[in-house]
Amino acid sequence: MLQCCSFHALAGDYYIFDACVATIGYAGPQMNSSSENNSIRALRDCVKLFTNVLLIEDRGGGASGLKKLDNLKMKCIKAVEMLSSNSSLWTVIVAHFVPGFMDKWLTEEKLSDTDPRTTSLVCAGLQTILRVVSIPTHAVFIANTGIAASLSNIICSQEKSSLVGSGRIEELCIQILHVLLSYSGKKGPSTERIDPGVVDIYALDVACALLTRETHADHNAGMIKTKLGLDILLRMISGFDDIEQAEMPQSPRIISFVETVSSNRQFLKKLCATLLTFDAKEDESFELPSSVQFIYGKPILLFEGACGPFMKSADAAIHVLFWIAFYASVANSPNSIVLWETFMLDDEDISDQSSKFLATCAISANFLDILSTNGSSCLPTNQKKLQFYKQTAQPVVQERLLHVLSIGASGFMTELDNEEENADSFHKLLSRYRAPQLCLELTNNALLLEQAFESLQNCLSGFPRSLLDDIVSDKVSLASLFNLLALTENRESVGAQKVGTIRVFAAAILSSAGELNVLGPAVSRAGLRGFAVASLSAACLTDDGQSETLAEDLTEEGSSMSMLCLHGLVDVLSSDSRNDVDVKVMLSPSEAQVISTGLAKKLSSMVLDHFMHKAEREDVLGEISGGDAIQRFPEVTLLCALASSKEALTQLCDNGGLEALSLVAGEGELSAITALLEVCKIDPKMVINVDAHVSALHVISKDSDSVSPAAKKGCFELLVQMSSSARKGRDAISSADECSACIDYAAHLIKSLAQEIDDDNVTTKETKEVNGSTDVSLDLEAISFLSSLVPNESCRAIILLEEELEASIEILAKKSQRYEVQQAAILYLGCGARFIKYDSEDAQHYAEGMTSSLLLILDSSQIRRKSRQIATSSGLSSFGDFSKSHQINENLILASTCKVLETLIPNMPCETVSKVLCSLSTIWRDTLNFHMLSSKKTASKTRNSGIVMFNMSAILLIIVGRKETQDLMNASTTVTNLLRFALLDPAKVEQKSKQSELDDSVCDLRHWRAALSQSLQCLAVLTTNSNFRTDAGKCWDDIVSDVESNTTSKQASKIRSFGFTSQTAPPSQTLLGSLDMLANNITDPLCSIVASRVRDNLFG
């Protein structure tokens, strides 16, 4: 058949030749290498013959001859396609047919032919090549024929092709290229490896063309081509893995790759559009502005399903874009800039510049966000290249993206037309892609520090609240800010001036967040308090001339670096104490010690500088600063907080901290006054030495409109503490220039309060006092202030000689409906009573008036108890409640009154002493009865009862000791009360009922024991007289009998049941038995001895 075919071909008998070709085409595939060798060799010769036919040129046979020749060539191509199904013929097909077919049929002339038969033949030839190219050696040979260029040309010009069925041709071309590309750059023998540049560059053109092409009709076909195009790009990129890092800039393969991609700008725009619309977080709440969405054009046609090693086609596209960006950044090619020009839309003439800059911000921020995520689609598919990616590829691209972001943010702010809506959209976009946080995170990379800072600076122009919230809410970003504060100037890549700028800007961010009160809570949530305190404290001390200048330029108010850091530090330290109203700096002992060690001198210096500048302005310029201006300064807040800590006191004192606080307190700053008060409680001398009393007196003497009542109250408290703690403090206050003015002011407050309540009926204000709705704390401190100064002779001469003030105090002591006011007034009277000189008629008259007032207080006790309902006003149960709400009660009023009477008794006339005894007897009896007969006691009535009994027994002891008043003790009620006290021993009852109570009740119990001892002392003195008779004529036996008989069995049961079990019987209810028990109680020696003495006197 071969011979026949050849003979007729030479003879020009085309019909017989045609028949032979058809026969060989159908029969040839059935033969294989196991058949006769001659047959296979003959078939191979047929392939060669058919290929030669394809190469025959027209020899002038005219139109008819040309047509016959074309038909013959078509038959040969069809026959070879059929023979290609026989793998035994692949070698000869590759060696002869493929080159011939490519030269004659893959030409522009053939591809522009509109004859359908031409399409069919081209498809047949390409199908033949696709079949034989699967063998590596065949692929290498075919590639070296230059077929890749032809295939690329066919695909890239597909839209312009007029060839019918060109879509099938394109599909076959793509598949062939795909196979060839799999051997490009592959390791192995040269016969099985296609050298770089032979196929890959042409495949890259094809991939760009496929991904750029618009698909209007066949959507499915478009998605298939997207997949093929991305697969080609992924194969090419993975093929670069064998290139060493040092060779990359000069690598011909990479340079060709970059130049080829750069020549396809539409493809780059498609990738950019895909990135712009890529949403890795799938946040439906965010939408790009309409003017930005399609500014790069339409994105690549993506599809569902895997693409290479990626689960989504979008991830594959982002991976491709990243590596294109990297290679464009490192390759030494003049076209490397094309990608970044496309990124920044510099190749487009866009009239809306704001949208342009917004788009560049969005795309760069989104890309940075993608790169920052774990498992980013940009990671290399070859895990061996992971380290190279993290150390080289990722930082290189991030630096370029930061540059794009910086230009975009700067350009947008320049173009901003001051419309708040535009600014909000910009901030929302940056917030969505975490742009500020990413910039801060990247500052931790020394290579990216400058570029990241520049981008951050442009993004945070004006320090918008929303972005500050985002930054401080992110732990990594927050830590990065604190790291920037500690940036040093010894970095080779960053100059000293840039380091200073970075530190100042970081401090400004933290300061702004601190002033908005968002920094402290964020630091707390992130667990960075210690790190934040250390960083901000250290940064305060790194302030220098250059940083100060930079800070003043950056902030509108011209704040220094130290001031910026302090704003942040105060907010950090206040986070644990913040509520809806107040903010208070809370310091642990270690924090106070660390901060004071480093910052005490700095803080003091800053505060003193403020006052120095203020004084200069007032003296030179005549300016008057606002009264609340001092509150703006964070150094004042921090200094006040440090002064309240014992751990910081030494450092503050050594570095002028208390002097600074004293000056601040003089401005009426409550926190400074409170701080000085705390210091005074620790060591009053420290406060006195810095003239804090002068500042306090100055505040009190100021006009009420310029100083708050709370500040004046605090100053009164400070002065009282100073005066009460040390004589030196009292003397310093009294010798100060403004002391008399403050005494007058305190007296004015007291007189005003007394005037309002000096009425038989309870006035409106007093009604409010009872309900607790009126604040009389300033009045109370005024009374305490005057009381504390009475021991000073010069002040006493002013205070006690003012009759109107004395009358006002007595009114408050007798008529005030608030226990606090009444108690303060009585204490004042007690201070005055200690210094009465009875050598003048006026002094005696003064003592008599005071005694009358005191007796009135004692006699009106029951009336007050009924009118005051403390328990109900406190909102707590009063039974067994020894809380702060019951600290000042009726018992304390009585006890304080008795204390004053105790001072007056030694010089009191007998007639008046008798009245005192009468009043005391009633109170003694009522107090004792209540405590002995009540099984369930009310806290408002039981508290301080021991103090009442002690003070009354002290008065009785003084009366017994005075010869002229001893006879007054023969009153039946007085002696009976003393014996009954010894018989019942209420101190034991108190001890049994209060074993689990608080310290306050234990203190009250001690007073009960002491009162019993003093009562027994009185009895010891009285019982020495065996001839003693009461005013009713009764002797001791009669008195004892009456006392024992008046204690009923019911009373005894209640009294003695406390603390005893049902198996233990209460002791005998006799005076002798009680005295025996007291005498045998060796734990209280005084009580034991005195009880023995009384027992011996009565029953010995």
Side-chain angles (χ1 to χ4, degrees):
M1 184 66 71
L2 173 61
Q3 293 173 357
C4 177
C5 186
S6 302
F7 173 78
H8 289 287
L10 293 173
D13 193 346
Y14 294 130
Y15 294 106
I16 297 177
F17 179 81
D18 187 14
C20 291
V21 170
T23 302
I24 292 171
Y26 284 110
Q30 310 306 320
M31 299 181 183
N32 52 47
S33 58
S34 63
S35 302
E36 291 295 329
N37 290 334
N38 290 335
S39 300
I40 294 299
R41 284 196 294 270
L43 285 175
R44 289 172 181 162
D45 290 338
C46 286
V47 172
K48 295 177 183 179
L49 176 62
F50 296 160
T51 302
N52 289 334
V53 172
L54 297 180
L55 301 177
I56 297 174
E57 299 289 344
D58 181 20
R59 298 179 179 177
S64 176
L66 179 61
K67 184 176 181 180
K68 290 180 180 180
L69 181 60
D70 286 342
N71 288 333
L72 187 60
K73 290 180 179 181
M74 292 178 185
K75 294 290 185 179
C76 290
I77 293 173
K78 289 287 188 180
V80 173
E81 181 199 6
M82 297 175 72
L83 290 173
S84 66
S85 62
N86 188 336
S87 59
S88 301
L89 303 176
W90 283 4
T91 303
V92 70
I93 292 174
V94 169
H96 294 275
F97 175 76
V98 172
F101 176 77
M102 186 188 72
D103 289 342
K104 297 299 180 179
W105 285 85
L106 295 184
T107 62
E108 291 187 10
E109 180 183 355
K110 290 296 183 182
L111 294 174
S112 61
D113 193 344
T114 58
D115 189 347
R117 293 181 303 166
T118 303
T119 303
S120 176
L121 289 173
V122 172
C123 288
L126 292 173
Q127 185 66 50
T128 301
I129 297 173
L130 180 62
R131 190 171 290 162
V132 301
V133 80
S134 58
I135 303 298
T137 53
H138 295 172
V140 173
F141 182 86
I142 293 173
N144 290 332
T145 63
I147 192 174
S150 300
L151 297 176
S152 175
N153 184 51
I154 293 172
I155 298 169
C156 293
S157 60
Q158 192 272 340
E159 291 185 352
K160 302 177 183 179
S161 176
S162 58
L163 195 63
V164 178
S166 58
R168 175 58 181 164
I169 294 175
E170 182 185 60
E171 183 180 339
L172 291 170
C173 290
I174 293 172
Q175 292 182 41
I176 294 169
L177 272 176
H178 210 272
V179 176
L180 292 175
L181 189 62
S182 64
Y183 297 103
S184 180
K186 187 177 181 181
K187 295 181 179 179
S190 59
T191 57
E192 298 181 2
R193 183 183 72 248
I194 300 175
D195 294 332
V198 175
V199 172
D200 48 9
I201 296 304
Y202 301 105
L204 181 58
D205 271 329
V206 169
C208 293
L210 292 176
L211 295 173
T212 305
R213 190 176 299 161
E214 299 288 345
T215 303
H216 302 288
D218 194 343
H219 186 75
N220 291 330
M223 290 191 296
I224 293 173
K225 290 173 183 177
T226 297
K227 180 177 175 61
L228 289 170
L230 290 174
D231 280 341
I232 291 172
L233 286 164
L234 292 172
R235 283 181 178 274
M236 286 199 66
I237 291 169
S238 63
F240 293 151
D241 289 348
D242 61 338
I243 302 176
E244 295 295 331
Q245 180 177 343
E247 299 174 359
M248 286 182 179
Q250 305 297 334
S251 170
R253 291 166 59 192
I254 292 179
I255 292 174
S256 298
F257 175 79
V258 171
E259 290 181 345
T260 302
V261 171
S262 299
S263 65
N264 290 275
R265 285 181 178 264
Q266 287 302 316
F267 164 67
L268 294 177
K269 286 187 177 182
K270 285 274 187 179
L271 283 178
C272 290
T274 304
L275 172 61
L276 184 64
T277 56
F278 180 79
D279 187 1
K281 297 181 176 62
E282 299 181 354
D283 184 3
E284 297 180 356
S285 63
F286 175 77
E287 185 177 0
L288 285 169
S290 56
S291 61
V292 173
Q293 288 181 4
F294 300 105
I295 199 167
Y296 288 97
K298 293 183 179 180
I300 292 172
L301 181 63
L302 301 176
F303 58 90
E304 296 293 331
C307 181
F310 300 98
M311 298 303 295
K312 296 180 180 180
S313 58
D315 291 332
I318 300 301
H319 179 89
V320 167
L321 178 57
F322 170 80
W323 289 101
I324 290 175
F326 169 67
Y327 291 126
S329 300
V330 299
N332 287 338
S333 169
N335 294 320
S336 295
I337 195 64
V338 172
L339 170 66
W340 300 109
E341 288 178 347
T342 306
F343 239 79
M344 294 186 287
L345 295 167
D346 286 344
D347 59 335
E348 295 288 333
D349 185 15
I350 301 176
S351 58
D352 187 357
Q353 290 293 298
S354 293
S355 296
K356 169 185 171 179
F357 290 125
L358 199 60
T360 57
C361 287
I363 193 172
S364 55
N366 193 16
F367 212 167
L368 285 168
D369 192 23
I370 293 169
L371 287 172
S372 70
T373 57
N374 294 326
S376 166
S377 56
C378 301
L379 291 169
T381 54
N382 183 357
Q383 292 300 309
K384 295 180 180 179
K385 303 291 289 184
L386 186 59
Q387 186 175 2
F388 166 76
Y389 166 82
K390 291 182 177 180
Q391 295 181 355
T392 305
Q394 186 184 33
V396 166
V397 176
Q398 285 173 329
E399 183 178 23
R400 292 298 186 99
L401 292 173
L402 287 169
H403 176 66
V404 175
L405 176 62
S406 177
I407 292 177
S410 176
F412 182 84
M413 295 308 295
T414 303
E415 294 291 329
L416 191 64
D417 52 4
N418 294 323
E419 290 186 12
E420 188 174 341
E421 183 177 352
N422 290 342
D424 286 344
S425 64
F426 176 59
H427 296 151
K428 287 179 181 178
L429 185 145
L430 295 177
S431 176
R432 165 62 183 81
Y433 295 120
R434 301 177 57 250
Q437 298 96 298
L438 294 170
C439 291
L440 278 168
E441 290 176 25
L442 294 177
T443 58
N444 295 315
N445 187 327
L447 298 175
L448 302 176
L449 173 60
E450 282 197 82
Q451 191 59 67
F453 169 69
E454 182 182 324
S455 302
L456 178 68
Q457 201 172 19
N458 289 326
C459 288
L460 290 183
S461 178
F463 301 110
R465 168 70 185 263
S466 59
L467 296 183
L468 289 177
D469 285 338
D470 291 341
I471 288 174
V472 299
S473 299
D474 184 89
K475 183 175 181 179
V476 177
S477 302
L478 198 53
S480 300
L481 272 176
F482 294 128
N483 285 330
L484 290 179
L485 290 178
L487 197 63
T488 56
E489 298 177 1
N490 58 2
R491 292 179 179 269
E492 297 179 359
S493 58
V494 185
Q497 185 173 359
K498 177 62 73 173
V499 168
T501 304
I502 293 173
R503 281 207 310 256
V504 169
F505 192 79
I509 295 174
L510 293 169
S511 175
S512 298
E515 290 179 340
L516 294 171
N517 297 328
V518 298
L519 177 62
V523 167
S524 241
R525 289 192 301 269
L528 295 175
R529 179 176 169 110
F531 181 39
V533 170
S535 300
L536 289 165
S537 300
C540 288
L541 299 175
T542 59
D543 197 0
D544 51 30
Q546 181 184 11
S547 297
E548 187 171 353
T549 303
L550 292 170
E552 290 176 356
D553 292 341
L554 181 64
T555 58
E556 294 180 359
E557 299 177 354
S559 299
S560 64
M561 177 72 173
S562 298
M563 185 72 77
L564 294 175
C565 293
L566 287 175
H567 276 300
L569 183 58
V570 167
D571 194 52
V572 168
L573 296 173
S574 305
S575 60
D576 294 336
S577 65
R578 185 173 287 102
N579 53 43
D580 293 338
V581 181
D582 299 319
V583 173
K584 182 180 179 182
V585 172
M586 301 292 289
L587 291 170
S588 67
S590 59
E591 286 175 338
Q593 188 169 9
V594 170
I595 294 174
S596 62
T597 301
L599 291 181
K601 185 175 182 179
K602 183 73 174 180
L603 293 173
S604 303
S605 175
M606 292 176 71
V607 173
L608 293 173
D609 284 345
H610 282 306
F611 282 96
M612 182 182 70
H613 294 318
K614 176 186 174 184
E616 289 178 354
R617 289 195 301 270
E618 291 177 353
D619 293 343
V620 178
L621 302 178
E623 295 180 358
I624 303 298
S625 300
D628 60 344
I630 198 69
Q631 298 176 358
R632 297 185 299 109
F633 301 124
E635 61 268 34
V636 172
T637 305
L638 190 54
L639 194 63
C640 294
L642 288 174
S644 303
S645 173
K646 294 180 181 179
E647 291 75 14
L649 267 184
T650 303
Q651 290 293 335
L652 288 179
C653 293
D654 293 344
N655 293 281
L658 293 184
E659 286 88 342
L661 271 179
S662 180
L663 290 174
V664 175
E667 296 293 312
E669 174 56 33
L670 182 59
S671 59
I673 298 168
T674 305
L676 287 172
L677 178 60
E678 294 300 317
V679 175
C680 190
K681 292 176 182 177
I682 299 170
D683 189 350
K685 294 179 181 178
M686 291 183 177
V687 180
I688 297 169
N689 291 338
V690 296
D691 292 336
H693 59 285
V694 176
S695 297
L697 292 170
H698 177 66
V699 172
I700 294 173
S701 61
K702 277 186 175 182
D703 185 6
S704 298
D705 294 336
S706 60
V707 180
S708 67
K712 290 196 173 189
K713 173 181 174 292
C715 288
F716 272 134
E717 288 184 85
L718 176 60
L719 293 171
V720 170
Q721 185 69 33
M722 293 173 65
S723 179
S724 305
S725 303
R727 180 176 179 177
K728 182 180 178 182
R730 188 164 52 245
D731 293 342
I733 294 170
S734 63
S735 61
D737 293 339
E738 294 179 297
C739 179
S740 59
C742 291
I743 291 176
D744 291 342
Y745 177 72
H748 168 72
L749 291 175
I750 296 169
K751 294 173 188 176
S752 298
L753 180 62
Q755 187 176 1
E756 292 180 3
I757 64 174
D758 187 18
D759 196 343
D760 292 336
N761 299 318
V762 178
T763 63
T764 304
K765 179 171 182 178
E766 280 294 287
T767 304
K768 292 180 179 179
E769 284 185 5
V770 174
N771 296 330
S773 59
T774 299
D775 184 13
V776 293
S777 57
L778 181 60
D779 306 308
L780 290 173
E781 294 302 331
I783 299 172
S784 299
F785 170 65
L786 294 183
S787 299
S788 67
L789 291 182
V790 167
N792 181 271
E793 186 175 359
S794 60
C795 293
R796 187 166 63 247
I798 300 173
I799 298 171
L800 296 184
L801 293 180
E802 188 176 345
E803 295 182 0
E804 186 180 353
L805 174 61
E806 191 67 25
S808 298
I809 290 290
E810 291 184 3
I811 289 172
L812 295 178
K814 293 184 292 185
K815 296 186 177 183
S816 177
Q817 294 295 309
R818 274 183 97 147
Y819 280 136
E820 298 96 318
V821 176
Q822 194 174 15
Q823 170 71 0
I826 294 171
L827 292 178
Y828 174 91
L829 293 175
C831 291
R834 291 174 52 211
F835 296 96
I836 296 176
K837 295 181 179 180
Y838 295 91
D839 55 356
S840 67
E841 188 175 334
D842 290 339
Q844 293 177 1
H845 177 72
Y846 174 78
E848 290 175 2
M850 184 184 297
T851 303
S852 299
S853 298
L854 295 172
L855 287 174
L856 181 61
I857 295 172
L858 294 179
D859 295 339
S860 60
S861 174
Q862 292 298 326
I863 298 174
R864 286 195 302 274
R865 286 186 187 275
K866 294 179 181 179
S867 64
R868 299 176 182 177
Q869 302 296 328
I870 292 182
T872 56
S873 65
S874 67
L876 300 170
S877 173
S878 60
F879 291 101
D881 181 6
F882 283 83
S883 63
K884 204 74 174 177
S885 62
H886 297 128
Q887 184 173 1
I888 300 179
N889 61 354
E890 183 64 28
N891 285 334
L892 188 60
I893 298 299
L894 295 175
S896 299
T897 305
C898 291
K899 179 67 176 175
V900 181
L901 286 171
E902 181 184 348
T903 305
L904 298 173
I905 281 289
N907 297 289
M908 192 179 291
C910 292
E911 183 181 353
T912 308
V913 173
S914 178
K915 294 179 182 179
V916 171
L917 278 175
C918 182
S919 298
L920 293 182
S921 296
T922 303
I923 297 173
W924 186 292
R925 183 188 65 250
D926 293 343
T927 302
L928 193 59
N929 286 342
F930 178 78
H931 279 269
M932 302 310 299
L933 299 179
S934 295
S935 59
K936 193 172 186 181
K937 303 172 187 176
T938 307
S940 60
K941 295 182 179 181
T942 59
R943 190 168 193 169
N944 301 317
S945 57
I947 303 175
V948 176
M949 295 298 293
F950 174 79
N951 289 350
M952 287 193 294
S953 62
I955 293 174
L956 296 181
L957 195 59
I958 294 173
I959 294 174
V960 167
R962 283 182 64 190
K963 181 179 180 181
E964 59 270 23
T965 59
Q966 192 177 86
D967 293 340
L968 298 176
M969 293 292 291
N970 66 353
S972 298
T973 54
T974 303
V975 177
T976 301
N977 284 338
L978 290 171
L979 289 173
R980 189 163 174 263
F981 193 11
L983 172 68
L984 299 178
D985 188 11
K988 182 178 290 295
V989 178
E990 287 290 308
Q991 184 176 6
K992 297 295 183 182
S993 64
K994 294 182 178 179
Q995 287 178 347
S996 61
E997 292 294 348
L998 303 176
D999 292 341
D1000 288 341
S1001 61
V1002 173
C1003 176
D1004 205 39
L1005 175 62
R1006 290 201 304 268
H1007 280 88
W1008 275 101
R1009 301 297 307 178
L1012 178 60
S1013 297
Q1014 292 190 139
S1015 298
L1016 290 172
Q1017 289 182 67
C1018 291
L1019 287 172
V1021 174
L1022 294 174
T1023 55
T1024 56
N1025 183 7
S1026 59
N1027 297 318
F1028 178 85
R1029 295 291 185 275
T1030 65
D1031 55 1
K1034 292 185 178 181
C1035 64
W1036 285 116
D1037 290 340
D1038 296 334
I1039 300 171
V1040 170
S1041 177
D1042 290 344
V1043 169
E1044 290 178 345
S1045 63
N1046 286 335
T1047 303
T1048 63
S1049 58
K1050 180 178 179 181
Q1051 290 173 329
S1053 175
K1054 287 188 177 183
I1055 293 169
R1056 298 303 177 184
S1057 63
F1058 287 109
F1060 295 102
T1061 62
S1062 58
Q1063 290 80 14
T1064 306
S1068 175
Q1069 184 65 20
T1070 64
L1071 181 61
L1072 178 60
S1074 295
L1075 291 172
D1076 283 338
M1077 289 182 62
L1078 294 171
N1080 295 329
N1081 182 14
I1082 61 176
T1083 60
D1084 189 348
L1086 176 61
C1087 185
S1088 174
I1089 293 172
V1090 178
S1092 299
R1093 180 70 59 84
V1094 174
R1095 181 190 60 188
D1096 294 343
N1097 290 339
L1098 290 176
F1099 305 103

